[in-house]
Amino acid sequence: MRKGQYRFVAGFLVVPVALYMVFVIWPYIQTFGYSLTDWKGQSQEFSFVGLDNYTTLFKDDVFMGAIWHNILFLIFIPAITILLALFFAFMLNAGGRGRAGGVAGVAGSGFYKIVYFFPQVLSLAILAVLFGAVYRSDSGGMLNGVLIKLGLVDEGTPVEWLNEPNMVLWALMAVVVWHGVGFYLVLFSAAMQSIPRDIYEAALIDGASRAHTFFRITLPLLWDSVQTAWVYLGIAAMDMFILVTTMTSGDYGGGPDHHSEVMATVMMRNFLLYGRSGYACAMGVIMLLLTLIVSVVTLRATRRERIEF
């Protein structure tokens, strides 16, 4: 009977596993193989060069700068997005008082959830175009227009949001955070709604403040959701290709003067523009390894004992 069950389950798994191996695992294996060659991408004629691409890679100042930019995204995007989403979710679910004095969300919390979630409906490509207009470096840009009307910026010298080396990364981060807060707000709200109200009310009766209830009750009980959010945001921070290529200057983005480069933009420029496909494959392998390392480290670092209620 047990063998029959295994055969039944295996029968359903054969096709999806085979498709996964062909369309996911095999391309990864091919990429690693090409990274050991001088493949130009336009023919199947190439020579084996061993680890030369990898040694060249770590001497490439542009790629090393791109890794540093990805690290900055990796630190700030998850941290800011999760903090804002947790704060808004807590206020929408436990930030008010019910009619009987119990815990309730703020007035209009259902409407606020829809408003906050709206950016998630739009793709990053659409957001990149929209915020390209917001960040325009003339008085016609929405952000500069508002600042000029408020008298904070002179009309003759508008802020170069995407052309200022020290500002471009923060401008890009703001778009990703604005896009992601709504989704994780809804995720955390769903998790908060499963927490019994009696726990909050007992804490308030005992004299606990809102801050204490958040850090002592809400956050520990939401830790699994926070851990998952951190991993997904970390993976998103390792990419950023669509946003950078659409919003910044240069071939495949990265401007001004490589100050907004990420690993994906350097890889695609070498693959499609410079014809250094083997070298680009080496970058892809490094990106894969770094993403796996980030995921494992994040899961390890945020692992805590599960709290039941």
Side-chain angles (χ1 to χ4, degrees):
M1 183 64 179
R2 187 175 296 274
K3 290 183 179 180
Q5 290 178 341
Y6 287 149
R7 290 173 182 172
F8 180 76
V9 173
F12 280 97
L13 291 177
V14 167
V15 174
V17 169
L19 291 174
Y20 186 81
M21 292 293 294
V22 170
F23 293 106
V24 179
I25 302 299
W26 178 242
Y28 281 134
I29 296 173
Q30 281 186 311
T31 300
F32 178 73
Y34 284 130
S35 72
L36 303 176
T37 69
D38 61 354
W39 182 43
K40 299 297 187 291
Q42 298 179 355
S43 70
Q44 289 299 315
E45 296 181 1
F46 49 81
S47 302
F48 180 77
V49 296
L51 299 177
D52 287 355
N53 286 329
Y54 292 94
T55 56
T56 304
L57 194 63
F58 290 105
K59 298 177 183 177
D60 188 336
D61 292 337
V62 174
F63 186 72
M64 297 307 293
I67 292 179
W68 171 242
H69 296 157
N70 274 113
I71 291 173
L72 291 178
F73 287 140
L74 183 63
I75 294 171
F76 288 103
I77 288 176
I80 297 173
T81 303
I82 290 174
L83 287 175
L84 289 175
L86 280 172
F87 172 76
F88 290 132
F90 181 73
M91 295 303 296
L92 292 179
N93 288 275
R97 290 276 189 174
R99 293 182 179 179
V103 174
V106 297
S109 59
F111 172 75
Y112 292 138
K113 289 178 184 178
I114 295 174
V115 172
Y116 285 132
F117 189 78
F118 177 73
Q120 192 65 33
V121 178
L122 304 175
S123 69
L124 274 176
I126 295 174
L127 283 181
V129 174
L130 291 176
F131 273 88
V134 171
Y135 286 141
R136 272 177 56 184
S137 58
D138 54 29
S139 58
M142 191 184 80
L143 189 53
N144 274 322
V146 172
L147 293 176
I148 290 171
K149 290 293 184 182
L150 294 175
L152 300 176
V153 173
D154 184 59
E155 186 173 0
T157 57
V159 181
E160 300 278 347
W161 300 102
L162 297 177
N163 293 318
E164 174 59 43
N166 296 324
M167 195 175 293
V168 60
L169 289 179
W170 301 104
L172 294 172
M173 286 184 201
V175 179
V176 180
V177 171
W178 187 79
H179 178 254
V181 165
F183 174 80
Y184 293 101
L185 180 151
V186 173
L187 176 68
F188 296 148
S189 293
M192 285 182 190
Q193 289 173 2
S194 66
I195 301 174
R197 298 286 179 182
D198 297 344
I199 299 177
Y200 287 115
E201 293 171 2
L204 293 176
I205 292 173
D206 289 339
S209 64
R210 294 289 179 182
H212 279 95
T213 56
F214 176 78
F215 287 106
R216 299 291 184 178
I217 297 174
T218 304
L219 189 57
L221 294 176
L222 290 184
W223 194 254
D224 287 346
S225 298
V226 172
Q227 184 187 52
T228 302
W230 202 288
V231 171
Y232 278 108
L233 286 167
I235 293 173
M238 295 295 289
D239 187 2
M240 296 288 291
F241 175 72
I242 294 176
L243 208 64
V244 173
T245 53
T246 306
M247 294 183 64
T248 59
S249 59
D251 295 315
Y252 297 99
D257 193 24
H258 303 297
H259 280 85
S260 63
E261 292 282 10
V262 292
M263 290 184 287
T265 58
V266 182
M267 179 186 69
M268 294 305 296
R269 189 180 301 114
N270 278 274
F271 190 89
L272 297 175
L273 193 64
Y274 300 155
R276 303 175 66 188
S277 300
Y279 186 56
C281 287
M283 295 182 184
V285 172
I286 297 299
M287 287 180 60
L288 172 63
L289 292 176
L290 290 177
T291 303
L292 292 175
I293 291 171
V294 166
S295 300
V296 172
V297 170
T298 302
L299 290 172
R300 286 283 187 179
T302 58
R303 186 170 59 180
R304 298 177 59 178
E305 292 184 5
R306 186 178 182 85
I307 299 176
E308 300 289 348
F309 54 87

